[in-house]
Amino acid sequence: MAMPRYDKLVFEIGAPGRVGYSLPASDVPVEDPRAGIPDSYLRREAPALPEVSEFDVVRHYSRLSQLNYGVDTHFYPLGSCTMKYNPKLNETMARLPGFARLHPLTPPASAQGALGLMHDLAQMLGEIAGMDAVSLQPAAGAQGELAGVLMIRAFHRANGEKRTKVLVPDSAHGTNPASTALAGYQVVQLKSLANGDVDLADLEAHLAPDVAAFMITQPNTLGLFEQRILEITDLCHARGVQVYMDGANLNAILGITRPGDLGFDVCHFNLHKTFTTPHGGGGPGAGPVGVKSHLEPFLPAPVVVRRGEAYALDWKRPKSIGKLQAFWGNFGMLVRAYTYIRTMGPDGLREVSENAVLNANYIMARLAKDYDVAAPGPCMHECVLSARKQKKLGVTAMDIAKRLLDLGFYAPSTYFPLIVEEALMIEPTETESKETLDAFCDAMIQIAREAEQSPAVIHEAPVTTSVRRLDQTRAAREPDLRWAPRR
Amino acid sequence: MRYIGNTRDNQREMLGVIGAGSLEDLLVRIPAKVRLARPLALPPAMAETDLVRHLRALAATNTDADHAVCFLGGGVYDHYTPVTIDHLISRGEFFTAYTPYQPEASQGTLRTIYEYQTMIAELTGMDVANASIYDGGSSLAEAALMAASVTGRAEIVLAAGVSPLHRRVVATYCEGPAVRLRDAAARDGVLDLDAARAAVGAKTAALVVQSPNFYGCLEDLAAAAEIAHAAGALLVVAADPVNLGVLQAPGRLGADIVVGEGQGLGVPLSYGGPNLGVFAAKQEFVRRMPGRLAGATVDLDGQRGFVLTLQTREQHIRREKATSNICTNVALCALMATIYLSLLGKQGLVRVGELASAKAHYAAERLGAVPGVSLAFGAPFFKEFTLRLPKAPERIVARLAKQKILAGVPLKAFDRRLADGLLVAVTEKRTKDEIDAYAEALARAVA
Ligand SMILES: Cc1ncc(COP(=O)(O)O)c(C=O)c1O
């Protein structure tokens, strides 16, 4: 059934004079709130904001929400994003007034619960990753990467070394080269093997004295565990090169193996992936970064420390790379992640990864006949398929994604990693049941049949969503980025 | 196990389809040498009731703005947050979706981003706003880098009133690209225009001014714009969008880029994060902007629809040449702001500003009249101001916290010349009674 068509913007509803707020009358003896402020500093007319009632707002945004697919309503196998169920308990805990209504500049003595939670969460993440110290400050994965690479830079500099390059495989997520460049490094792209593994000989050839770091994703972006990881990290260390792990795929290895034990010097976490904080339509997330002890002096300041029985923010970090955001981290997300880890416990977390891996392999096994598998398995928590077979029939990965929307599923990640032709990256997560996976696999198999027999239905798709395929070219050529009244 | 779908029977059946004997068979690529041979050393799993008890106890040790009267500011504020916001953002279709990569199944998110961009552009007086940056600090940092890239210059001049917390973030982001920071001094709490004129020159990419500044004082943005533009530099303004119902849009005063912390637009305090990084600029810079942008277009049937656009600026396409490394942003906080601005609307935002200003001016008068206490600066202010106290502000703050008054932010840690300074914020939520009680408590504390 088609979603109800609803084509309003908030500016197109309401009526002049209508209000949706409730504010008290002024109770202070100040006649003119603008007195004392120079005229030229003041706005002359009220901003052109909506004039709507509270109920208008509720109806409007409820209707808009219905134009979305989310994890709560739809299977959302978006690879690399770990779209697992976001427990409702986390939400209730994050909304406790003691957390949600706590101002960041409250004297630390009056914020001991919050600081204690942060301290303990950092310790737990350190244990999970086998890292010696963790900063909770980065706001998302990309900011964790920036922090990590800046720490590596500061480390080399402190050792009097001038290294200018960072090696990043061609299979990496776009933020890896972007963060590396932002940290002031020249990015050298390495060619991966067909299965996403590092080409060791090629790596060795690139490990010149001016290389500061090697940055990889483990398991790699094809969903495979990099088997020769110890050789890789040893080789890098022998050349004075730091090794960074993009921890986006941590959901595959909880309690099974740890980045620190694999020889990594730095890794970031995506709490919005592995640790069930909601994705919010694009964020917020949280991207804590963990390091081995040699990088600890460079952690973002301030660091939450325990002094006797009390917790404090330690600002005296002369070697710190500085601050990444104004305050201490995306605390609301930290409360959710903490709640999740305490809910699951050590055995639960291991079961998370085992089931994430099982689910991905199940999908791969069920679809291997109808789609090309990008690399032979077993895979870890996600599997990458290629629609190259279908492309020969004129059906692309994008077409398949659109058809899935009609069949009641959000789409896998498409065209990532870049080294796989017509990539479909499927990450089911452990929270989905076998019934859902079966329904999804049935739909994928149906699409493979349609590609052979009735491709028109795929090319037409989607037809059940509130809009059909959208003109991206027009959007980019004539950017229309804000609403204006029709003249 | 909670949150895991598969039963033992399911697992057995699935392993059969895969052709694996056990879960272990799926992990063969992980060398034995790197396996964790013990359980993670974490506390054992907790039942919901126990965990709720534990977290409630932790939360209760914090002195939050529901259990004390909050005069804390410094970038984030205890503003009025209509309860409706949380109900709407909690809808799973918004809450549990991600970046709208499949626009046909994400029109709800895309439409709200487009609405958000429109509202922020209107408030700031800019042509375009993006879908958000992490927070006010990182937004300012991105603005500094964008100014450097637009002008081809590598020096940023920051007015002394820019939040020292944000300045530290700017410094971190400017380290890699080797953009240098210079400071322009203040006089009586506001940017010294002579100092600014001396600091801004042919190498300056941007002059950065925050108004109201960290100390609460309103800056002369038009004068700052003149200085920046005379040197061929951009003017970057950091502004709190909640204030812009009453205060002039920085774009009208000559700003080229406007950033700010948007927490006051309905985002919970949440101990400082997640916040909302507002980012807006003039049209001519749109292709150099960081972050996501939603745009209107049409579908195959000619119906209006929305997509993420101008993506060739972004990391997933441009990689190391992207305008920023940002990927995940703070979309949900932008949604809170969109709903907030819809509810407050044309009249409400003005009212919020008027109330906050009236109460702040009343509070300044009352607190400034306490013997030994004075206002630090003569410059005009809006909802926040700096006091000088006759006793160590840290001590006063600790004492008043016991009386459930969060009295303000001691400034010593931020500015050594203001060791006796206390930054006090007063929002529209504070009542006359609360302000009077604060003044009386302060009088006792400093006596
Ligand atoms: C492999 C990988 N690395 C890095 C990132 C960036 O993380 P974030 O979006 O939290 O900045 C992502 C997420 O989208 C990812 O999938």
Side-chain angles (χ1 to χ4, degrees), chain A residues 79-81 139-145 171-176 217 221 246-249 268-270 272-273 282 285-287 382 416 425, chain B residues 98-99 101 134 292 315 325-329:
Chain A
S80 204
C81 300
Q143 213 184 40
E145 293 168 12
S171 56
H173 190 266
T175 53
N176 291 187
T217 310
T221 57
D246 179 332
N249 293 342
H268 77 260
F269 306 76
N270 295 69
H272 46 301
K273 299 179 180 181
E382 65 193 356
F416 174 61
M425 184 194 236
Chain B
Y98 201 14
T99 308
Y101 294 119
Y134 308 126
R292 303 195 193 285
Q315 45 74 30
N325 68 332
I326 194 167
C327 177
T328 294
N329 55 19

